[in-house]
Amino acid sequence: MTGSQHPEPPDSGDAVGTDADALSPAFERLLDYLKEVRGFDFTGYKRASLVRRVLHQMQRVAITDFEQYHDYLQVHPEEFTQLFNTILINVTGFFRDRDAWDLLASDLVPSLLDQLGDEPIRLWSAACASGQEAYSLAMLFAEALGREKFRARVKIYATDVDEEALSFARLASYTERELAGLPDGYRQRYFEPAGTRFQFDTDLRRSVIFGRNDLLQDAPISRIDLLACRNALMYFNAETQNRIVSRLAFALKPQGVLFLGKAEMLLNHSAAFEPIDLKRRFFRKRTSSPTARAVADSLRSAAGQAATERSQLSSEAFLNSPVAHIVIDHDNRIQLINHAAGATFGLSVRDVGRSFSELEISYRPAELRSYIDGVAASRQPAWLRGIEWHRSPTEVTFLDIQVLPLTGGANRLLGVSLMFNDVSRYRRLNDDLEATNRQLETAYEELQSTNEELETTNEELQSTIEELETTNEELQSTNEELETTNEELQSTNDELHVINQELQARTAEISSLNHFMESVLSSLTAAAVVVSPELTVRTWNRQAYELWGLREDETLGQHLLNLDIGLPTDELRTVAREVASGERERAELIVQAVDRRGRPVSLRVTVTTLAGPGPQRGGNDGALLLMESASQLGESGPSAG
């Protein structure tokens, strides 16, 4: 989620959203559609502000109903850009709130450098919008370290959900007005004139990596020393804020610094953060929270006289494990909860000591009580794989749950360990792979590709260089390998641009052929329907609409025999399937039907095999059905061609 993107203040022409609008099922369906089609999840935004922004954009296109606007988006894909620009307003600048940046430069950065010694420095600008905040961090640390040490030690990750804003940020080009907030001398040292704009220093730019990251859905970047997430939390509801703050805490190293906007506080997260300077919104990650102390006490009790240092190490390792982990004792009471489990299932230190059976997690996402009893009795581990968990009406998570017995001497049961492995990513990758294969097969058969898909692919390839750098950092590859990959992808992008132009020409040819085919079908006096070998409707001409009353968009992709029309499917079923599957080349029969106006009509139905495309024309590609009024109403029965 973008923190520097937030709803702009209302003007006098804005629509005002009511409580009824916020609770409207049609509005919820609209949000689901935005998430499914474009990957933007707005369910965590404060609902009143979100409704007001959507209504404001609907007024611009003269629509007052959420269902109508849903349909409008499906027909006009260019409207997505206008809607997102209305909801997500990029508000940022260099060194915004100067007194906070002055404190960072004078006190916090020197303290951080002393603490790290010669170790690498990892910074994260979450919700970076058009990049000014990320480049401000770069200039600040370049001033403190010098250019040579900065290039050798500092890596800055800048993320956002708005691809358009990220594309602008990657350019690192700004107007003179946008540079007005720079300290004295910074423009001369870090920017070069480029026409009417100014370009950020190329050498320092290589240390800033831009990539898409949703603070609610994507995994946080780890081992961060300083995290700037300014003016993002204030636009989310309390539940969503808790989830985001838990992820930010996970991303930071012990003693890591969190830098928030001046309108934000962490009043409900004192267990995870302690204030450095409340006025300027600087916080430090605590090395030990109440939950950590409870876990450490439990571990010391189980280990007897184990050393304090080893107990703390075990506690921190347990708490900071990326896998959600819960431990219950032999009395079925919760004893240990790590950070990942707390963030995933909404648990806290207050739940330590409670009966596991009283909590929702005991039966959702899976009925665990019977498995726990079985493991306790058999002393054998159990696995629950592929558990589907509906965290919300629009969010589904897949989990592998491992239930392990914890035993002491003489096989005495001490408790049970529950580990929840999130495998949603692998499921999505597998689904995406299968969908991609189906799309490729369809593309090879039909040779159809739209301009919008090609433009989207081109934009994704242009940003792949930065995305691959983010991925390679997670895989701990070197800067030299990343730069080599960058050059190769730039060359690939040029080649794909040429391919893109060729495909656009082919698309124009195919579009012309499609128009020609539509003209041919429209000129027929008979109702014409083209079906696949599985009897799925591919083409439905104007005369078919006049006869049966169904538009083409209502029939495409539907099984012919499942359509709610007056055609007697029992008489047509066998003949249509034989011809469509290639068993017969042609068949003709007279049927008694009821047209769109409810009048009986006698139809002559001619079913003809369609030969497959390409040089091998012996194959079968479905069937053509021609339906016209029979000259003799008493005629009936099929005949083979």
Side-chain angles (χ1 to χ4, degrees):
M1 289 299 174
T2 56
S4 52
Q5 297 179 334
H6 49 269
E8 64 181 353
D11 54 43
S12 58
D14 280 346
V16 177
T18 65
D19 292 340
D21 292 327
L23 298 175
S24 168
F27 186 71
E28 294 297 330
R29 288 193 292 272
L30 178 62
L31 296 184
D32 292 342
Y33 177 69
L34 296 178
K35 181 178 180 181
E36 176 183 353
V37 174
R38 291 303 175 98
F40 280 83
D41 186 1
F42 295 113
T43 56
Y45 278 66
K46 291 184 177 178
R47 194 52 54 93
S49 177
L50 183 60
V51 169
R52 177 174 52 81
R53 291 287 83 215
V54 174
L55 289 174
H56 179 74
Q57 181 59 27
M58 288 167 56
Q59 282 186 343
R60 295 178 179 175
V61 294
I63 293 177
T64 59
D65 181 77
F66 290 127
E67 292 284 4
Q68 294 178 3
Y69 191 57
H70 189 162
D71 295 338
Y72 185 81
L73 287 171
Q74 292 176 325
V75 179
H76 302 85
E78 69 278 1
E79 174 66 12
F80 282 105
T81 300
Q82 300 300 323
L83 175 61
F84 293 155
N85 287 340
T86 300
I87 297 176
L88 304 175
I89 305 301
N90 295 320
V91 180
T92 187
F94 290 101
F95 296 96
R96 188 168 48 148
D97 302 329
R98 175 66 68 81
D99 60 335
W101 287 91
D102 290 342
L103 177 66
L104 182 63
S106 62
D107 295 348
L108 300 183
V109 170
S111 175
L112 179 62
L113 296 180
D114 291 342
Q115 175 185 336
L116 293 176
D118 294 328
E119 295 180 10
I121 303 170
R122 295 166 61 87
L123 313 176
W124 182 11
S125 174
C128 66
S130 49
Q132 287 95 323
E133 188 174 87
Y135 294 130
S136 297
L137 289 172
M139 290 183 282
L140 201 66
F141 276 83
E143 289 287 313
L145 290 168
R147 286 177 175 267
E148 183 176 350
K149 289 185 177 180
F150 175 87
R151 287 286 295 120
R153 296 180 57 191
V154 178
K155 187 71 68 178
I156 302 174
Y157 301 94
T159 63
D160 205 291
V161 296
D162 190 344
E163 291 286 1
E164 183 177 349
L166 288 173
S167 298
F168 182 84
R170 291 186 179 103
L171 297 175
S173 176
Y174 300 94
T175 64
E176 183 174 4
R177 180 179 179 181
E178 290 171 328
L179 301 183
L182 291 174
D184 294 339
Y186 275 41
R187 190 174 78 180
Q188 292 74 17
R189 289 199 293 273
Y190 298 108
F191 289 88
E192 298 179 0
T196 60
R197 304 178 69 86
F198 292 86
Q199 191 75 30
F200 186 67
D201 185 276
T202 304
D203 194 37
L204 300 185
R205 168 66 181 84
R206 295 192 182 98
S207 295
V208 184
I209 300 173
F210 289 93
R212 188 184 187 281
N213 183 280
D214 189 320
L215 292 177
L216 281 176
Q217 300 184 31
D218 298 329
I221 300 172
S222 61
R223 297 180 291 113
I224 298 299
D225 298 297
L226 172 62
L227 198 164
C229 181
R230 312 193 66 214
N231 299 325
L233 300 178
M234 60 187 292
Y235 296 100
F236 296 97
N237 57 42
E239 179 183 357
T240 305
Q241 287 183 15
N242 290 335
R243 292 174 59 190
I244 293 177
V245 171
S246 297
R247 290 170 179 261
L248 299 183
F250 178 81
L252 284 167
K253 290 180 179 178
Q255 297 295 316
V257 176
L258 176 63
F259 184 14
L260 298 180
K262 63 181 180 180
E264 299 168 319
M265 289 292 290
L266 291 178
L267 298 177
N268 297 324
H269 301 279
S270 59
F273 293 95
E274 59 183 350
I276 300 175
D277 188 302
L278 279 176
K279 179 180 179 182
R280 298 171 180 85
R281 304 300 189 260
F282 286 102
F283 301 86
R284 177 176 283 110
K285 180 181 178 181
R286 292 183 183 272
T287 57
S288 178
S289 66
T291 304
R293 289 192 293 272
V295 173
D297 291 342
S298 298
L299 290 174
R300 281 194 294 271
S301 175
Q305 300 300 321
T308 301
E309 182 178 353
R310 181 177 179 183
S311 176
Q312 291 177 344
L313 181 62
S314 299
S315 172
E316 290 299 325
F318 172 83
L319 286 173
N320 293 291
S321 170
V323 177
H325 197 170
I326 298 173
V327 176
I328 62 178
D329 61 17
H330 63 280
D331 291 328
N332 202 36
R333 295 190 177 277
I334 292 181
Q335 295 300 323
L336 303 175
I337 303 171
N338 71 353
H339 292 322
T344 303
F345 300 108
L347 302 175
S348 69
V349 67
R350 294 188 298 271
D351 295 310
V352 174
R354 293 183 61 184
S355 173
F356 180 75
S357 300
E358 296 177 357
L359 301 178
E360 181 182 359
I361 192 176
S362 66
Y363 59 88
R364 185 179 295 126
E367 174 54 62
L368 296 176
R369 291 168 290 194
S370 59
Y371 283 93
I372 292 173
D373 293 340
V375 166
S378 65
R379 304 295 199 271
Q380 296 295 323
W383 275 95
L384 289 77
R385 299 187 184 275
I387 301 300
E388 185 174 343
W389 179 28
H390 293 267
R391 305 181 67 170
S392 69
T394 60
E395 182 178 4
V396 179
T397 300
F398 292 92
L399 299 172
D400 282 353
I401 305 175
Q402 186 178 20
V403 186
L404 293 173
L406 303 177
T407 58
N411 204 27
R412 180 173 59 88
L413 182 68
L414 300 177
V416 175
S417 169
L418 302 171
M419 286 183 285
F420 302 82
N421 294 278
D422 189 344
V423 295
S424 302
R425 178 172 176 268
Y426 306 107
R427 287 289 294 265
R428 285 195 297 269
L429 288 175
N430 185 59
D431 293 343
D432 291 345
L433 179 60
E434 293 179 357
T436 300
N437 288 334
R438 290 193 297 269
Q439 291 171 1
L440 287 174
E441 292 174 1
T442 303
Y444 281 119
E445 293 173 358
E446 300 180 0
L447 296 178
Q448 292 181 345
S449 177
T450 65
N451 286 330
E452 179 183 358
E453 291 170 342
L454 290 172
E455 292 173 356
T456 302
T457 302
N458 192 32
E459 293 171 358
E460 292 173 351
L461 289 171
Q462 289 174 351
S463 64
T464 299
I465 298 171
E466 302 290 346
E467 299 291 347
L468 285 176
E469 286 187 349
T470 303
T471 303
N472 287 339
E473 174 58 28
E474 296 173 351
L475 298 174
Q476 299 180 348
S477 63
T478 64
N479 288 334
E480 181 179 355
E481 293 170 341
L482 289 172
E483 292 174 357
T484 302
T485 302
N486 188 17
E487 294 173 359
E488 294 174 353
L489 287 174
Q490 285 178 342
S491 175
T492 302
N493 192 28
D494 294 339
E495 296 174 1
L496 287 172
H497 182 69
V498 175
I499 296 173
N500 184 21
Q501 293 177 335
E502 295 175 355
L503 288 176
Q504 286 178 339
R506 294 298 301 274
T507 300
E509 295 176 5
I510 293 173
S511 177
S512 177
L513 290 175
N514 286 338
H515 288 314
F516 175 73
M517 290 300 300
E518 290 177 0
S519 299
V520 171
L521 291 174
S522 298
S523 65
L524 294 175
T525 58
V529 179
V530 177
V531 297
S532 68
E534 294 79 18
L535 299 186
T536 301
V537 177
R538 289 181 173 174
T539 303
W540 186 272
N541 74 347
R542 177 67 182 179
Q543 285 69 26
Y545 165 72
E546 294 294 339
L547 180 60
W548 304 119
L550 293 180
R551 301 189 306 274
E552 183 178 19
D553 60 348
E554 295 177 306
T555 61
L556 291 184
Q558 302 294 321
H559 197 283
L560 175 65
L561 302 180
N562 291 339
L563 295 178
D564 186 14
I565 57 179
L567 191 64
T569 57
D570 291 339
E571 300 180 31
L572 188 61
R573 185 186 312 273
T574 302
V575 172
R577 284 180 173 169
E578 290 177 353
V579 175
S581 62
E583 297 179 16
R584 301 169 64 179
E585 292 185 357
R586 185 175 182 276
E588 182 177 299
L589 68 160
I590 303 296
V591 298
Q592 303 302 319
V594 178
D595 65 10
R596 62 182 293 185
R597 298 175 178 83
R599 297 180 302 187
V601 59
S602 180
L603 296 178
R604 180 187 305 277
V605 181
T606 303
V607 189
T608 307
T609 298
L610 291 181
Q616 298 179 350
R617 302 193 55 83
N620 177 50
D621 197 31
L624 169 66
L625 287 82
L626 294 177
M627 294 168 279
E628 55 187 342
S629 178
S631 59
Q632 296 181 358
L633 295 179
E635 185 177 356
S636 62
S639 62

